[in-house]
Amino acid sequence: MPKGLPHFAAAVLALLVCACAGAPPPQPAAPPTGAVGVRSIDKRLVAAQRMQLAANETFEMPLAEAGNAAPEYPQALLAQRLPPQTVCLSVAIGADGAVSDSRVLAASEGCPTQAPAAPDFVAAARAAVARWRFDPAFRCVYPGAKPVDEQGCVTGREQAVAVSVAYSFVFEQKDGRGTVRVGE
């Protein structure tokens, strides 16, 4: 063995050990968000349809539970090879977090489609959201002015509220399989 090789190997090993020790620890995977392949289109609602808060209040949106399943593409429609179809729903969520109702939204209400979807797609979307659960939305009412830097509702009083949240679903086929994806 050449004379300098053990020193070289020791130096390389030392560098590798140092590099491993100085590397940042692996980051844990992001926690589940409860997303189910949909996106909210609420920001498109006009001001009169939105909740109004007092100066001493903040609002927390309902959080979808992780087990909420996306709608399924109706198997009976696969043979028809339909173009993608968008279904927009206003989902009524009670103060207890249960879905109490849903209704179809039109383009004039913020739905990013011009043509109504086939009734089977609407039925699939409504059936899926009827089973959804949420951590309820709530108002946080502060005794005085709302704190500037407070995260959450620490010094205020939570009041669970019923709300409606708008979602869009795009039903489409890829390679002969039905999928539901985030709307655009």
Side-chain angles (χ1 to χ4, degrees):
M1 184 183 288
K3 218 176 198 189
L5 191 54
H7 294 296
F8 176 73
V12 169
L13 181 61
L15 282 174
L16 288 173
V17 168
C18 289
C20 289
Q27 297 297 317
T33 62
V36 293
V38 297
R39 80 179 158 91
S40 171
I41 58 174
D42 290 355
K43 290 182 176 53
R44 297 179 183 189
L45 297 175
V46 295
Q49 296 172 309
R50 299 178 71 82
M51 180 183 294
Q52 302 299 316
L53 296 173
N56 68 328
E57 295 179 328
T58 60
F59 177 75
E60 292 292 325
M61 288 291 291
L63 296 175
E65 290 187 358
N68 290 348
E72 293 185 19
Y73 195 103
Q75 293 297 313
L77 297 180
L78 284 173
Q80 295 181 27
R81 299 181 186 261
L82 297 169
Q85 297 200 22
T86 300
V87 174
C88 297
L89 296 178
S90 175
V91 179
I93 304 165
D96 63 352
V99 172
S100 60
D101 196 17
S102 65
R103 71 174 180 82
V104 176
L105 293 173
S108 63
E109 296 175 285
C111 186
T113 187
Q114 299 302 318
D120 288 350
F121 293 120
V122 173
R126 292 191 75 196
V129 301
R131 294 185 297 271
W132 285 3
R133 292 283 307 164
F134 292 82
D135 288 338
F138 64 88
R139 287 179 192 253
C140 183
V141 182
Y142 297 97
K146 63 183 173 191
V148 177
D149 295 332
E150 184 173 305
Q151 297 293 319
C153 188
V154 177
T155 61
R157 182 176 38 89
E158 289 184 14
Q159 291 180 341
V161 293
V163 295
S164 291
V165 180
Y167 290 97
S168 66
F169 306 88
V170 178
F171 291 81
E172 61 187 343
Q173 289 186 31
K174 290 185 180 180
D175 300 323
R177 300 174 115 180
T179 64
V180 180
R181 68 174 174 84
V182 176
E184 297 179 356

